[in-house]
Amino acid sequence: MTTEKNDNNEITEDQVTVADEFQAVAQRSLWADAYERLARNKAAMLGLFISGIIMIAALFGPYIKPYDDLEINLFNIAQNPNGDHWLGTDLLGRDVLSRMLMGARTAVFVAVLVSFISNVLGVVLGAMAAYFGKIVDDIIMRVADITFAFPDLLLAAFISSSARRPVIDFADKVREATGWEVLENTVFIDYTMVFGALAIVSWAGVARLIRGQVLSLREQDFIRAEVALGATGWRIIRKHLIPNSIAPVIVSISAGFGGVMLLESSLSFLGLGIQPPGASWGNMVSSNMDKWRAYPLLVAIPGVVLAVAVFGFNFLGDGINDAINPRQIKR
Amino acid sequence: MLQYSTRRLIMLLPILFFVLLITFTLGFYGPGDPLTTFFGDDAFMADDPELINRLRRLHGLDRPFWVQFGDYITGYFKGDLGNSIIEKRPVLDMIKAGAPISAQLGLAATIVLVFTGIPLGVLCAVKQNTWVDYWIISFSISLRSIPVFVLAPLLLIILVLKLGVLKKTPIGWEGIFSQKVIIPVLLMAAGPMLGIVRMARSGVLEVIGQNYVRTARAKGMGERMVISKHIVKNSMTPVMTTLGLTMSGLITGALFVELIFGIPGVAGLGIWAFKRRDYPVILATTAMGSFLIIVANLLVDLGYGLLDPRVRYE
């Protein structure tokens, strides 16, 4: 609101200089301030560094991986890290580094898409609940309550284990009708299941947040002033509600990102997420879990990388939260 | 207060109903109907449609969805949770066997949470924006970031293989007072710790600037007394609100801990049911988890009024 102009006709010279001084300060936008606070936060910068590496691994993984991550070589199983295989090989002789890179792709891909889907769903439904009120509000919020009543991992596990078969059948029918060969790929279906299950579990939090935000904004004086001045509903949504709700959405995306990653790996660990041979850090841990005594590295490498990645994204999310809501830290 | 409580209790019923409806629907349309799961590898029996149809009629599986759902929900109210397909015994018995174990683990983890999380949160607030604060918060964030299924093997690798502190893997259940319980309980407490520390911290920060705290200091009260008598006591209500989230976190923790350490509790039962597609058990354990979360949230709402007389229920 600092950038709003003061349309006063009678300004004395004295006031002009004061106004100019204010202008000089006001030039720094909310975002510049937030960015500066973020850059000063060492933990968040560490988080940014880690997340950056993970992102690069996810983006370029398939092009820089030294071996085919699915190629089985039974003459070369369970190697310790060496010159040829920097992180060793697993019990099927697959190169661990290549699988880790593909796992990064899975983790980031799932987290990005699920954050996107659940935030779009949450923002739209939350805003609808607040805007229309009455029965729409009741229905959306009761559905959110029900979603919250489930332990999130159990619900996601349940959805992905139950809906898998029907979705595969449906995909088969679509494929027969349209001839889309993508749908024959079960890994593709795995991903769809995981996206769906995780988005269903995580939209409710965003919806609640946005609903609260819009409800409290609606009562603010500057919105009332706009209404009194005869602004249309669309103008209020575009000029005030959306800009003022962006910050909490960014916070919820960044804070939820690590959590989604954790959920995906947990599902895959339980064998209900990405199915082998697709690479996910979660199923890499679980498939070697019972051999931790003999091959500790095969458990430790995906485990530590997963933990460091989630840790990095959580630190970054926390830093972004502090940067955008400075009042919270000052308290 | 009484009126509010009754209204809250009545509002629970539709939520419980929908929770049961959703779990039942997921089970109903999920892969593998009970009969195919029952036969398992004996596929030659499943090939006989006559036999299958007779069994279907016998177990009432040919009836419409809503009739079966009605049966299922009335069964739940009578305490009949159905029979496990794999183990072929009442689900209720299985839950009765596992629940005390999970409850003891959960209670132990809660005690650990309360007695470490709250003091750490208070310490953070008292030393706000110093390295103590930063390190405690960072440490809690890392505990939350490392999944139990990673922390568990890492701890085992470090303690058993590297340091040799433990002679053998602490697997199984020998009562809550055996040493085997220590690692599982600490692992369960690790995830929800951040929530408690944050809430305790912000609760204390809220109170620390109040006038009565200044008054207490002004009249010469020692800092230690000010913190324990005035600050901590008055800042604990927000910590209560995390109970619902804590419950959810403890359940997730228990799922992994019981699976990894072979503890025969309810959460492990649920996970095994998922792995073997034993739907009656999945339904019962999921419903139970939801029930616990709903009750925890109800307790939070009701407890708020008891702890803080300023809260008014409309």
Side-chain angles (χ1 to χ4, degrees), chain B residues 209-230:
Chain B
Q210 299 276 343
N211 287 340
Y212 62 80
V213 173
R214 197 179 51 190
T215 307
R217 287 204 182 107
K219 72 182 183 191
M221 201 179 211
E223 188 62 27
R224 188 178 275 266
M225 284 295 271
V226 173
I227 291 174
S228 64
K229 283 263 172 188
H230 290 278

mmCIF file of all heavy atoms in Angstrom, chain B residues 209-230:
data_model
loop_
_atom_site.group_PDB
_atom_site.id
_atom_site.type_symbol
_atom_site.label_atom_id
_atom_site.label_comp_id
_atom_site.label_asym_id
_atom_site.label_seq_id
_atom_site.Cartn_x
_atom_site.Cartn_y
_atom_site.Cartn_z
ATOM 1 N N GLY B 209 5.992 -9.714 26.575
ATOM 2 C CA GLY B 209 5.938 -8.259 26.589
ATOM 3 C C GLY B 209 4.765 -7.704 27.381
ATOM 4 O O GLY B 209 4.539 -6.492 27.404
ATOM 5 N N GLN B 210 3.991 -8.585 28.012
ATOM 6 C CA GLN B 210 2.798 -8.125 28.724
ATOM 7 C C GLN B 210 3.163 -7.315 29.962
ATOM 8 O O GLN B 210 4.232 -7.487 30.548
ATOM 9 C CB GLN B 210 1.961 -9.336 29.166
ATOM 10 C CG GLN B 210 1.474 -10.197 28.038
ATOM 11 C CD GLN B 210 0.196 -9.676 27.423
ATOM 12 O OE1 GLN B 210 -0.492 -8.864 28.033
ATOM 13 N NE2 GLN B 210 -0.123 -10.117 26.223
ATOM 14 N N ASN B 211 2.221 -6.483 30.373
ATOM 15 C CA ASN B 211 2.478 -5.614 31.523
ATOM 16 C C ASN B 211 2.716 -6.392 32.809
ATOM 17 O O ASN B 211 3.555 -6.021 33.616
ATOM 18 C CB ASN B 211 1.298 -4.661 31.727
ATOM 19 C CG ASN B 211 1.280 -3.599 30.653
ATOM 20 O OD1 ASN B 211 2.307 -3.361 30.010
ATOM 21 N ND2 ASN B 211 0.133 -2.981 30.441
ATOM 22 N N TYR B 212 1.959 -7.482 32.987
ATOM 23 C CA TYR B 212 2.115 -8.174 34.273
ATOM 24 C C TYR B 212 3.483 -8.828 34.407
ATOM 25 O O TYR B 212 3.974 -9.046 35.515
ATOM 26 C CB TYR B 212 0.982 -9.169 34.529
ATOM 27 C CG TYR B 212 0.856 -10.302 33.528
ATOM 28 C CD1 TYR B 212 1.691 -11.414 33.606
ATOM 29 C CD2 TYR B 212 -0.110 -10.267 32.544
ATOM 30 C CE1 TYR B 212 1.566 -12.450 32.705
ATOM 31 C CE2 TYR B 212 -0.241 -11.301 31.643
ATOM 32 C CZ TYR B 212 0.592 -12.384 31.722
ATOM 33 O OH TYR B 212 0.477 -13.409 30.840
ATOM 34 N N VAL B 213 4.110 -9.113 33.264
ATOM 35 C CA VAL B 213 5.462 -9.658 33.333
ATOM 36 C C VAL B 213 6.422 -8.560 33.792
ATOM 37 O O VAL B 213 7.286 -8.775 34.659
ATOM 38 C CB VAL B 213 5.892 -10.224 31.965
ATOM 39 C CG1 VAL B 213 7.347 -10.639 31.982
ATOM 40 C CG2 VAL B 213 5.009 -11.395 31.579
ATOM 41 N N ARG B 214 6.190 -7.348 33.239
ATOM 42 C CA ARG B 214 7.039 -6.225 33.637
ATOM 43 C C ARG B 214 6.842 -5.933 35.128
ATOM 44 O O ARG B 214 7.798 -5.698 35.874
ATOM 45 C CB ARG B 214 6.670 -4.997 32.814
ATOM 46 C CG ARG B 214 7.718 -3.929 32.838
ATOM 47 C CD ARG B 214 7.294 -2.766 31.987
ATOM 48 N NE ARG B 214 5.935 -2.321 32.340
ATOM 49 C CZ ARG B 214 5.252 -1.446 31.635
ATOM 50 N NH1 ARG B 214 5.757 -0.928 30.537
ATOM 51 N NH2 ARG B 214 4.055 -1.074 32.016
ATOM 52 N N THR B 215 5.566 -6.015 35.560
ATOM 53 C CA THR B 215 5.264 -5.772 36.970
ATOM 54 C C THR B 215 5.984 -6.784 37.859
ATOM 55 O O THR B 215 6.576 -6.427 38.875
ATOM 56 C CB THR B 215 3.742 -5.877 37.206
ATOM 57 O OG1 THR B 215 3.095 -5.022 36.289
ATOM 58 C CG2 THR B 215 3.393 -5.505 38.626
ATOM 59 N N ALA B 216 5.926 -8.041 37.439
ATOM 60 C CA ALA B 216 6.564 -9.088 38.233
ATOM 61 C C ALA B 216 8.052 -8.801 38.378
ATOM 62 O O ALA B 216 8.624 -8.947 39.468
ATOM 63 C CB ALA B 216 6.346 -10.442 37.573
ATOM 64 N N ARG B 217 8.661 -8.358 37.271
ATOM 65 C CA ARG B 217 10.091 -8.037 37.343
ATOM 66 C C ARG B 217 10.313 -6.812 38.218
ATOM 67 O O ARG B 217 11.252 -6.767 39.008
ATOM 68 C CB ARG B 217 10.630 -7.758 35.946
ATOM 69 C CG ARG B 217 10.770 -9.009 35.110
ATOM 70 C CD ARG B 217 11.817 -8.819 34.018
ATOM 71 N NE ARG B 217 11.902 -10.017 33.208
ATOM 72 C CZ ARG B 217 11.431 -10.093 31.954
ATOM 73 N NH1 ARG B 217 10.894 -9.028 31.378
ATOM 74 N NH2 ARG B 217 11.531 -11.219 31.288
ATOM 75 N N ALA B 218 9.410 -5.831 38.079
ATOM 76 C CA ALA B 218 9.572 -4.568 38.796
ATOM 77 C C ALA B 218 9.493 -4.765 40.298
ATOM 78 O O ALA B 218 10.175 -4.096 41.064
ATOM 79 C CB ALA B 218 8.508 -3.569 38.340
ATOM 80 N N LYS B 219 8.663 -5.731 40.714
ATOM 81 C CA LYS B 219 8.559 -5.910 42.165
ATOM 82 C C LYS B 219 9.703 -6.768 42.698
ATOM 83 O O LYS B 219 9.716 -7.143 43.865
ATOM 84 C CB LYS B 219 7.207 -6.503 42.537
ATOM 85 C CG LYS B 219 7.028 -7.956 42.176
ATOM 86 C CD LYS B 219 5.636 -8.455 42.526
ATOM 87 C CE LYS B 219 5.535 -9.942 42.220
ATOM 88 N NZ LYS B 219 4.187 -10.456 42.284
ATOM 89 N N GLY B 220 10.658 -7.083 41.832
ATOM 90 C CA GLY B 220 11.885 -7.729 42.295
ATOM 91 C C GLY B 220 11.873 -9.241 42.225
ATOM 92 O O GLY B 220 12.688 -9.914 42.833
ATOM 93 N N MET B 221 10.937 -9.782 41.480
ATOM 94 C CA MET B 221 10.877 -11.241 41.358
ATOM 95 C C MET B 221 12.069 -11.730 40.529
ATOM 96 O O MET B 221 12.458 -11.084 39.554
ATOM 97 C CB MET B 221 9.581 -11.590 40.653
ATOM 98 C CG MET B 221 9.121 -13.005 40.869
ATOM 99 S SD MET B 221 7.574 -13.232 40.001
ATOM 100 C CE MET B 221 6.794 -14.426 41.035
ATOM 101 N N GLY B 222 12.624 -12.863 40.933
ATOM 102 C CA GLY B 222 13.760 -13.407 40.190
ATOM 103 C C GLY B 222 13.346 -13.818 38.792
ATOM 104 O O GLY B 222 12.204 -14.226 38.570
ATOM 105 N N GLU B 223 14.294 -13.733 37.838
ATOM 106 C CA GLU B 223 13.991 -14.034 36.449
ATOM 107 C C GLU B 223 13.439 -15.459 36.295
ATOM 108 O O GLU B 223 12.510 -15.711 35.546
ATOM 109 C CB GLU B 223 15.262 -13.849 35.618
ATOM 110 C CG GLU B 223 15.065 -13.946 34.106
ATOM 111 C CD GLU B 223 14.136 -12.874 33.547
ATOM 112 O OE1 GLU B 223 14.036 -11.787 34.152
ATOM 113 O OE2 GLU B 223 13.495 -13.140 32.514
ATOM 114 N N ARG B 224 14.031 -16.368 37.046
ATOM 115 C CA ARG B 224 13.616 -17.768 36.964
ATOM 116 C C ARG B 224 12.146 -17.926 37.356
ATOM 117 O O ARG B 224 11.371 -18.607 36.679
ATOM 118 C CB ARG B 224 14.503 -18.566 37.931
ATOM 119 C CG ARG B 224 14.364 -20.057 37.849
ATOM 120 C CD ARG B 224 15.335 -20.686 38.827
ATOM 121 N NE ARG B 224 16.661 -20.830 38.235
ATOM 122 C CZ ARG B 224 17.069 -21.948 37.632
ATOM 123 N NH1 ARG B 224 16.275 -22.976 37.563
ATOM 124 N NH2 ARG B 224 18.264 -22.031 37.104
ATOM 125 N N MET B 225 11.768 -17.233 38.434
ATOM 126 C CA MET B 225 10.382 -17.302 38.897
ATOM 127 C C MET B 225 9.449 -16.626 37.896
ATOM 128 O O MET B 225 8.346 -17.113 37.640
ATOM 129 C CB MET B 225 10.246 -16.609 40.273
ATOM 130 C CG MET B 225 10.778 -17.417 41.415
ATOM 131 S SD MET B 225 9.831 -18.924 41.637
ATOM 132 C CE MET B 225 8.568 -18.348 42.751
ATOM 133 N N VAL B 226 9.915 -15.493 37.337
ATOM 134 C CA VAL B 226 9.073 -14.788 36.367
ATOM 135 C C VAL B 226 8.754 -15.724 35.208
ATOM 136 O O VAL B 226 7.600 -15.852 34.789
ATOM 137 C CB VAL B 226 9.779 -13.517 35.842
ATOM 138 C CG1 VAL B 226 8.966 -12.891 34.714
ATOM 139 C CG2 VAL B 226 9.974 -12.518 36.953
ATOM 140 N N ILE B 227 9.801 -16.394 34.731
ATOM 141 C CA ILE B 227 9.595 -17.272 33.582
ATOM 142 C C ILE B 227 8.666 -18.432 33.926
ATOM 143 O O ILE B 227 7.691 -18.697 33.238
ATOM 144 C CB ILE B 227 10.949 -17.784 33.043
ATOM 145 C CG1 ILE B 227 11.708 -16.617 32.421
ATOM 146 C CG2 ILE B 227 10.749 -18.882 32.014
ATOM 147 C CD1 ILE B 227 13.111 -16.958 31.990
ATOM 148 N N SER B 228 8.929 -19.099 35.066
ATOM 149 C CA SER B 228 8.142 -20.293 35.346
ATOM 150 C C SER B 228 6.736 -19.949 35.826
ATOM 151 O O SER B 228 5.763 -20.582 35.434
ATOM 152 C CB SER B 228 8.867 -21.181 36.359
ATOM 153 O OG SER B 228 8.985 -20.500 37.579
ATOM 154 N N LYS B 229 6.605 -18.940 36.667
ATOM 155 C CA LYS B 229 5.288 -18.651 37.264
ATOM 156 C C LYS B 229 4.399 -17.847 36.319
ATOM 157 O O LYS B 229 3.201 -18.059 36.254
ATOM 158 C CB LYS B 229 5.468 -17.866 38.570
ATOM 159 C CG LYS B 229 5.891 -18.738 39.715
ATOM 160 C CD LYS B 229 4.681 -19.146 40.547
ATOM 161 C CE LYS B 229 5.125 -20.177 41.575
ATOM 162 N NZ LYS B 229 4.038 -20.767 42.307
ATOM 163 N N HIS B 230 4.988 -16.866 35.672
ATOM 164 C CA HIS B 230 4.136 -15.948 34.913
ATOM 165 C C HIS B 230 4.147 -16.220 33.411
ATOM 166 O O HIS B 230 3.108 -16.220 32.780
ATOM 167 C CB HIS B 230 4.551 -14.496 35.173
ATOM 168 C CG HIS B 230 4.213 -14.050 36.547
ATOM 169 N ND1 HIS B 230 2.957 -13.619 36.894
ATOM 170 C CD2 HIS B 230 4.949 -14.004 37.675
ATOM 171 C CE1 HIS B 230 2.942 -13.309 38.175
ATOM 172 N NE2 HIS B 230 4.137 -13.537 38.683
#
